[in-house]
Amino acid sequence: KFKEALNHYSSALKFKDVPSRGLIMYNMAWSELNLDRLDVGIRRLETLVKSPELVTRESADGPRYDLVFHTDILRDLATFYARRNITQKEIDAYDSFSPKENRKELLLHFAGEADRLGQKQAARKIYSRYLEDQSLTPEERLTVFVKLMQVNYDAGMTTQSTVDFSKAAETFKKICPAPNS
């Protein structure tokens, strides 16, 4: 009953002081997706993450920014984006929408969604964006080199996959040096 739900959500938004406006728009995006209106759903989620006043939770002191809700919206936006051809513009937008404290986690999620839905080139670009972060630990780098190796192998890019394997092996050696004999 997504069409019916969408009508109810639209009616609710007509009230100026309706609480949880962002949550209503979030649910509308999912209704749009389930009605095969992916582009409309994407625009709704993008509007939400660009509007801090909508990414809130009601509290005793009134609406407050909600990092968990913001993260949920972005995880779902990654899923929505991955249902169509992911462009560089979307990768850049997604990165800019991500709160600093969750950026790495969200980029990994986005790359995983792209890979899961067969968008190997987009997954490579997102993993590469992730690797640009100077604050990554050796363990985080190792994880992504292994993921890149698999993505490139799956895409038939065996030479690049071998290069990624070498990077992973070198990173692993730094993390876990061989014991002296």
Side-chain angles (χ1 to χ4, degrees), residues 108-124:
L108 282 180
H109 175 75
F110 190 20
E113 282 296 283
D115 182 28
R116 183 178 71 83
L117 293 175
Q119 295 198 53
K120 304 299 181 183
Q121 183 178 5
R124 276 194 305 280

Side-chain angles (χ1 to χ4, degrees), residues 69-82:
F69 183 41
H70 191 171
T71 302
D72 286 344
I73 295 166
L74 286 166
R75 285 179 168 280
D76 291 345
L77 182 58
T79 300
F80 281 42
Y81 278 160

Side-chain angles (χ1 to χ4, degrees), residues 49-62:
V49 293
K50 289 190 252 182
S51 308
E53 70 279 3
L54 294 173
V55 184
T56 60
R57 172 178 37 139
E58 294 298 321
S59 72
D61 299 326

Side-chain angles (χ1 to χ4, degrees), residues 113-176:
E113 282 296 283
D115 182 28
R116 183 178 71 83
L117 293 175
Q119 295 198 53
K120 304 299 181 183
Q121 183 178 5
R124 276 194 305 280
K125 287 179 180 180
I126 299 164
Y127 284 134
S128 294
R129 172 72 61 91
Y130 178 88
L131 286 169
E132 292 171 3
D133 187 331
Q134 298 301 310
S135 73
L136 294 177
T137 65
E139 291 83 0
E140 290 169 329
R141 288 189 182 286
L142 175 60
T143 298
V144 172
F145 287 138
V146 170
K147 290 178 183 291
L148 266 171
M149 177 183 67
Q150 186 65 53
V151 165
N152 286 323
Y153 181 79
D154 291 347
M157 299 174 63
T158 54
T159 302
Q160 185 59 48
S161 182
T162 304
V163 169
D164 295 328
F165 178 79
S166 295
K167 290 177 183 177
E170 287 301 315
T171 304
F172 182 76
K173 285 181 191 177
K174 291 176 185 173
I175 297 170
C176 302

Side-chain angles (χ1 to χ4, degrees), residues 25-140:
M25 292 177 68
Y26 174 78
N27 289 327
M28 289 176 81
W30 274 102
S31 294
E32 295 289 3
L33 175 77
N34 287 298
L35 291 169
D36 293 324
R37 297 190 285 220
L38 178 62
D39 292 339
V40 175
I42 287 172
R43 283 194 301 275
R44 280 192 201 283
L45 292 180
E46 288 174 338
T47 297
L48 276 172
V49 293
K50 289 190 252 182
S51 308
E53 70 279 3
L54 294 173
V55 184
T56 60
R57 172 178 37 139
E58 294 298 321
S59 72
D61 299 326
R64 298 229 180 236
Y65 170 73
D66 187 349
L67 178 63
V68 173
F69 183 41
H70 191 171
T71 302
D72 286 344
I73 295 166
L74 286 166
R75 285 179 168 280
D76 291 345
L77 182 58
T79 300
F80 281 42
Y81 278 160
R83 289 186 172 218
R84 65 180 191 192
N85 188 37
I86 298 171
T87 65
Q88 187 63 47
K89 177 183 171 196
E90 289 165 334
I91 294 169
D92 294 341
Y94 190 85
D95 192 12
S96 73
F97 297 151
S98 299
K100 283 185 179 183
E101 54 269 58
N102 291 5
R103 180 184 177 270
K104 291 188 289 189
E105 169 199 335
L106 288 166
L107 283 176
L108 282 180
H109 175 75
F110 190 20
E113 282 296 283
D115 182 28
R116 183 178 71 83
L117 293 175
Q119 295 198 53
K120 304 299 181 183
Q121 183 178 5
R124 276 194 305 280
K125 287 179 180 180
I126 299 164
Y127 284 134
S128 294
R129 172 72 61 91
Y130 178 88
L131 286 169
E132 292 171 3
D133 187 331
Q134 298 301 310
S135 73
L136 294 177
T137 65
E139 291 83 0
E140 290 169 329

